[in-house]
Structure formats: structure tokens, C-alpha cells
Amino acid sequence: VASDGSFAVLDQNEYRRHAQQMGYSPELCAILEAEFTALQDEIRKKNPPFTPDVIAGWYAKYRSIREEK
């Protein structure tokens, strides 16, 4: 989640690969997909911890760590 509230979905290919390699059950995949959708909804609604002030705080921390390197 970026400081402006936008977000990018990462590692979907890794999830699909692991699901196939490790034989995730259809029930498990359904649970994971439902929870993933719920998480995206929480981000879009800006519910905690995805409120602008919390995002800005974590983004500032990320930038300070990145600048130290």
C-alpha cells in the first residue's frame, strides 16, 4: 500500500505455483481467495490499518530506512 492509498498485488504467480506444487485443496484456495478479496476491500475502504495517517507513517519509515542504505 503506497502513501496515496494505491496498492499493488504482488506474488500472485508464486501463490499459483505453490498451490499447484503443494496441492492446495479447492477449499483452501477458496478461503485464501475470499480473504484476499476481503483484504483488498479493507484497503479500498481505508479501514484501519489502511487509514491515510497510518499509511503515511509506515511510508515515512520505509523511506527513512531506504535512505540509510
Side-chain angles (χ1 to χ4, degrees):
V1 178
S3 61
D4 65 358
S6 64
F7 63 95
V9 177
L10 307 175
D11 300 331
Q12 282 187 310
N13 291 333
E14 182 179 11
Y15 161 72
R16 289 185 190 111
R17 187 174 62 251
H18 285 177
Q20 184 179 23
Q21 289 173 344
M22 298 178 202
Y24 291 5
S25 69
E27 294 83 8
L28 177 59
C29 289
I31 292 168
L32 293 172
E33 290 168 16
E35 291 300 318
F36 178 63
T37 298
L39 176 62
Q40 291 178 84
D41 290 343
E42 293 297 301
I43 294 169
R44 286 187 188 101
K45 292 176 186 173
K46 298 182 180 354
N47 287 337
F50 305 109
T51 56
D53 58 327
V54 173
I55 292 170
W58 282 110
Y59 188 68
K61 183 167 182 71
Y62 159 77
R63 289 189 53 94
S64 71
I65 291 169
R66 188 169 183 215
E67 290 171 1
E68 291 174 4
K69 291 184 178 185

